Amino acid sequence: MSNVGRYGSMADVSFQAVASLLCASEDNKNVVQLLKSHILFKDLGGSGLCHIPPVVLHLQYLEELHLERNQIEEIPPEIGLLQRLRVLYLNNNKLSSICDQLADCQHLKSLDLSNNPLEGKIPTHTLCRLWGLQELRLSNLNLVQFPAQICKKLHHLQLLGLSGNNLTSLPWEIRNLTQLQQLHLKNNKLHVLPPGFCHLPKLEVLNLRQNLLNSLPDDISSLKNLKHLYLSNNQLTAIPESLGRCLNICVLDISRNKLHPRLDVFPVSLAELALSDNQLHIFPTAICNLADTLQLLYLKNTQLKKLSCCFSSLTEIRLLDLSQNPLRYLPKQICDLAQLEMLSLDDSKLKEVAPEIKNLTKLKILGLTGNRFQAFPQEICFIDSLEKLYLGQDHGIKLIHVPEEICQLVNLKELYIENNEIEFLPATIGFLQNLTVLDCHKNRLLEIPESISNIHVCQDLPRIQGILVYDHQCINYNFWHFLQNPWMHIIRTRATEASHEL
């Protein structure tokens, strides 16, 4: 839904009602004048249309029109009759050209032409006459250049979407868009940003993901109102020191670049920082300067073997992703993060878990798949706040048992222990009264403890996901992968009968 759109899915009189009355009434003119004044919003998105219905083009009071996801090949000249139109979505159609009469919609504020076969040619002359446009989306149009004329004429633009094109550069005139708040340039071929690019005083969101940038402008600090900066999948080797002076940035994503280990400065306002898939090897200690603000930190596959001593100062962290790092041991600094709710340590070559992990009293989600535990890490059984636990071993050493202490995870809702060599489940698993998902496919289970039938969810809801309770004939269709266990043939007939009863 457009930010400019005001009416949601509201329509005082439905389009179908108008059409039927037009057919039934002897005085069509009076009916039209009576009814169309009430229609301000119409959503015909995904309706399989090959053309715009003529009746729509006579709804003179229409302000918002959705025609996206159809098969429309052309816009008729009558579109210009919609003098009050403010929002027009034509994305994901089969338009190969745009008629000049679209420019007669002088009240248009938001226009989306994305994903149409315009063959890299946009109606520059027509667009430049839409003086009041605030939102313009031109994504996935195979554009090789963005017309400078648009930057000169559309001074009220607040959002410009140019993602998924073949742009190698931007016109320097883009600095004229002084009202711009969001600029989306994802998945282009930009090597550099033009001079003056950073003189966009109101820019808040800048998306440059999946380009070919190898550096950022030194004057990036001029973007005083920048809040979200997305730079993943580029060729950056460093970030300029001036970025640290962007005092309003709360989200910074520079994952999947070529950053060297020395990162000296980050904006002190950051709440979310993504550095995943950079070969850092050494933890950037400048991150510790974000202790008062940082809540989400992504460090997946950064070749870290340990964390800095100052890491424990990041007391506001709620999500931490350290997966695919050669840690071997759980860094004890993590156990000081009192606000931590989600922790991913998957595929980190861990051999053991520190007892101090029980200090994470707010932890709800823990990922430990693909590690090198010699046995089920019983230390995690003391994290009674845990709701989701992942211990599947696609790549790590296979677990052979689940401890009886698992029953201490009284809040556990989902348990994933697939791809191990577990032969038995403890009877105490039946005490997990909140359990709704138990994924233990590709193990060596010989039986399921009868205590599972005590789980109240299974007694009340036969659609419990992934748990098979043969005493209560409780089976979920999503659980058929459980048939891979060798004991399954014993109760296969009974399970089939149970499934037909659901």
Side-chain angles (χ1 to χ4, degrees), residues 95-298:
L95 299 173
S96 57
S97 62
I98 305 295
C99 66
D100 291 339
Q101 287 79 4
L102 180 62
D104 294 334
C105 301
Q106 284 295 296
H107 287 89
L108 202 60
K109 302 295 183 183
S110 180
L111 175 63
D112 192 344
L113 296 173
S114 303
N115 293 286
N116 277 288
L118 293 174
E119 300 179 357
K121 298 179 181 179
I122 57 175
T124 303
H125 177 70
T126 301
L127 293 177
C128 287
R129 291 169 57 199
L130 294 170
W131 319 105
L133 267 185
Q134 296 177 5
E135 300 181 358
L136 177 60
R137 295 174 173 89
L138 300 171
S139 297
N140 300 306
L141 297 179
N142 199 30
L143 301 179
V144 294
Q145 63 178 6
F146 181 63
Q149 298 95 310
I150 291 180
C151 300
K152 296 177 180 179
K153 298 292 185 180
L154 302 185
H155 298 295
H156 298 287
L157 276 184
Q158 297 176 14
L159 182 151
L160 178 58
L162 294 169
S163 296
N165 285 294
N166 290 307
L167 301 175
T168 58
S169 63
L170 296 173
W172 67 266
E173 289 89 350
I174 199 167
R175 64 188 299 174
N176 293 338
L177 302 178
T178 56
Q179 302 301 309
L180 202 61
Q181 297 176 16
Q182 296 188 38
L183 179 56
H184 299 274
L185 291 160
K186 176 183 176 181
N187 192 18
N188 277 283
K189 298 178 180 179
L190 299 174
H191 289 268
V192 295
L193 299 176
F197 178 85
C198 295
H199 296 283
L200 297 171
K202 294 188 177 182
L203 193 64
E204 296 182 2
V205 178
L206 177 56
N207 189 344
L208 287 162
R209 287 172 171 154
Q210 293 177 257
N211 277 280
L212 301 171
L213 299 173
N214 52 37
S215 65
L216 296 176
D218 289 332
D219 61 344
I220 195 169
S221 58
S222 298
L223 297 173
K224 300 295 185 182
N225 286 297
L226 193 62
K227 296 179 180 178
H228 299 255
L229 178 56
Y230 303 102
L231 295 163
S232 61
N233 292 91
N234 276 280
Q235 306 292 321
L236 299 174
T237 58
I239 56 176
E241 180 271 337
S242 56
L243 184 63
R245 297 196 294 274
C246 293
L247 301 181
N248 287 306
I249 293 184
C250 57
V251 177
L252 175 60
D253 183 0
I254 42 179
S255 55
R256 298 183 184 89
N257 276 277
K258 298 181 178 181
L259 297 176
H260 58 64
R262 187 175 179 181
L263 297 172
D264 295 329
V265 63
F266 293 99
V268 294
S269 53
L270 280 182
E272 179 177 343
L273 175 60
L275 290 168
S276 296
D277 296 294
N278 284 288
Q279 303 302 298
L280 299 179
H281 296 279
I282 299 173
F283 177 76
T285 56
I287 294 177
C288 296
N289 296 327
L290 310 175
D292 294 334
T293 58
L294 195 62
Q295 298 183 31
L296 289 76
L297 178 57
Y298 301 90

Side-chain angles (χ1 to χ4, degrees), residues 300-412:
K300 175 184 176 182
N301 188 29
T302 49
Q303 299 304 306
L304 297 179
K305 295 182 179 180
K306 62 180 182 178
L307 300 177
S308 170
C309 295
C310 68
F311 190 87
S312 57
S313 66
L314 298 172
T315 54
E316 299 301 316
I317 290 282
R318 293 188 296 109
L319 182 152
L320 176 60
D321 186 355
L322 279 168
S323 58
Q324 297 182 24
N325 281 290
L327 293 172
R328 300 185 64 184
Y329 300 97
L330 174 68
K332 292 185 178 181
Q333 299 94 317
I334 293 177
C335 302
D336 293 328
L337 306 181
Q339 303 300 319
L340 195 62
E341 297 179 13
M342 302 173 63
L343 174 60
S344 177
L345 292 164
D346 304 290
D347 301 305
S348 293
K349 299 181 171 58
L350 294 180
K351 295 182 177 181
E352 61 183 43
V353 174
E356 290 83 357
I357 198 171
K358 66 181 180 181
N359 296 335
L360 301 177
T361 57
K362 294 187 178 181
L363 192 64
K364 295 180 179 179
I365 302 175
L366 177 59
L368 292 171
T369 63
N371 281 292
R372 298 180 179 179
F373 302 119
Q374 296 297 320
F376 190 104
Q378 295 194 33
E379 293 82 1
I380 61 180
C381 295
F382 296 98
I383 312 174
D384 57 11
S385 60
L386 210 57
E387 296 181 2
K388 296 182 182 181
L389 175 59
Y390 298 84
L391 271 167
Q393 296 298 95
D394 291 346
H395 307 294
I397 297 176
K398 306 293 185 180
L399 303 177
I400 61 174
H401 85 290
V402 176
E404 293 184 355
E405 290 80 0
I406 193 75
C407 65
Q408 296 176 157
L409 299 177
V410 294
N411 290 298
L412 196 64

Side-chain angles (χ1 to χ4, degrees), residues 2 4-5 63-66 85-89 108-110:
S2 165
V4 177
E63 294 191 9
E64 185 162 344
L65 177 58
H66 290 249
L85 196 63
R86 294 168 52 86
V87 178
L88 177 59
Y89 282 5
L108 202 60
K109 302 295 183 183
S110 180

